[in-house]
Amino acid sequence: MPTMTCSAVDPQVLAAARRRTFLALFTALAVALHTLEYLLPAPAPWFRLGFANILTLAALFLYGPRAAWGVTLGRILLGSLVVGTLFSPGFFLSLAGGTAATALMTAAYRLGGRHIGPVGVSALGAVGHALGQMGLAYLLLVRHPGLWQLLPPFLLFALGAGLANGFAAAWLLDLLRGHPAFREEKEG
């Protein structure tokens, strides 16, 4: 009787399968955090702590910009579908913020190289998220110059949340890089 073996004996096939598996887990966790944050009370519809961005940062630093975009867009689409806000103003605010944040984070990652870590990248992403949301809110929802008076406290809140998320992402990255699955990828 023939024995069954893993079909992913080729190291490249195994690495690709691991990558897809971890990115799917990152996206699922990001959707769960997005949903949990939605259930928490917020002073304004767009004031969230952005815990899901921790997973985007992990994807960025482990797998690169394309993976970060996949986690961000997957989290926004699936998370909005789960909480029932798909194609609502909140969805578009989230999409604008996530797009601006991920664009800034991937640019900083590419341009900064080893000189900028998860904390700095997260802080830039948080500021980009705030600016993206405020810009879209002005263009689509509240065409009043008074909206911009909210920008300084909003940026301060975003920066604090971005720094906290950056430290959490750095901790997660250290933890993941110690996992055998990630050590084998470095050695392979």
Side-chain angles (χ1 to χ4, degrees):
M1 183 151 178
T3 59
M4 294 187 64
T5 59
C6 177
S7 62
V9 276
D10 180 18
Q12 291 177 337
V13 172
L14 184 59
R18 271 196 190 123
R19 174 187 166 98
R20 285 191 305 271
T21 301
F22 276 104
L23 288 176
L25 286 171
F26 290 170
T27 303
L29 286 170
V31 169
L33 289 171
H34 176 92
T35 303
L36 177 68
E37 273 192 272
Y38 180 79
L39 298 174
L40 297 175
W46 56 83
F47 267 51
R48 303 275 182 230
L49 295 172
F51 294 136
N53 291 323
I54 296 167
L55 285 307
T56 300
L57 287 163
L60 177 64
F61 279 86
L62 292 172
Y63 296 114
R66 187 173 178 186
W69 278 105
V71 170
T72 296
L73 296 175
R75 184 239 333 147
I76 292 168
L77 289 170
L78 294 172
S80 296
L81 185 63
V82 168
V83 299
T85 60
L86 190 62
F87 303 123
S88 71
F91 166 78
F92 289 110
L93 288 171
S94 181
L95 185 61
T99 301
T102 306
L104 268 178
M105 290 190 303
T106 56
Y109 176 80
R110 283 186 174 150
L111 297 174
R114 296 184 184 266
H115 302 291
I116 187 166
V119 177
V121 169
S122 180
L124 283 172
V127 168
H129 200 279
L131 292 172
Q133 283 190 333
M134 288 293 281
L136 189 69
Y138 180 77
L139 291 174
L140 294 182
L141 300 174
V142 184
R143 280 222 176 240
H144 189 277
L147 179 68
W148 297 109
Q149 292 177 351
L150 292 174
L151 189 59
F154 191 36
L155 285 175
L156 188 61
F157 177 83
L159 186 59
L163 290 172
N165 288 337
F167 282 114
W171 174 80
L172 178 64
L173 286 165
D174 287 342
L175 190 69
L176 288 174
R177 286 179 177 140
H179 189 277
F182 292 97
R183 276 188 264 139
E184 289 174 14
E185 278 189 19
K186 286 183 192 175
E187 295 167 4

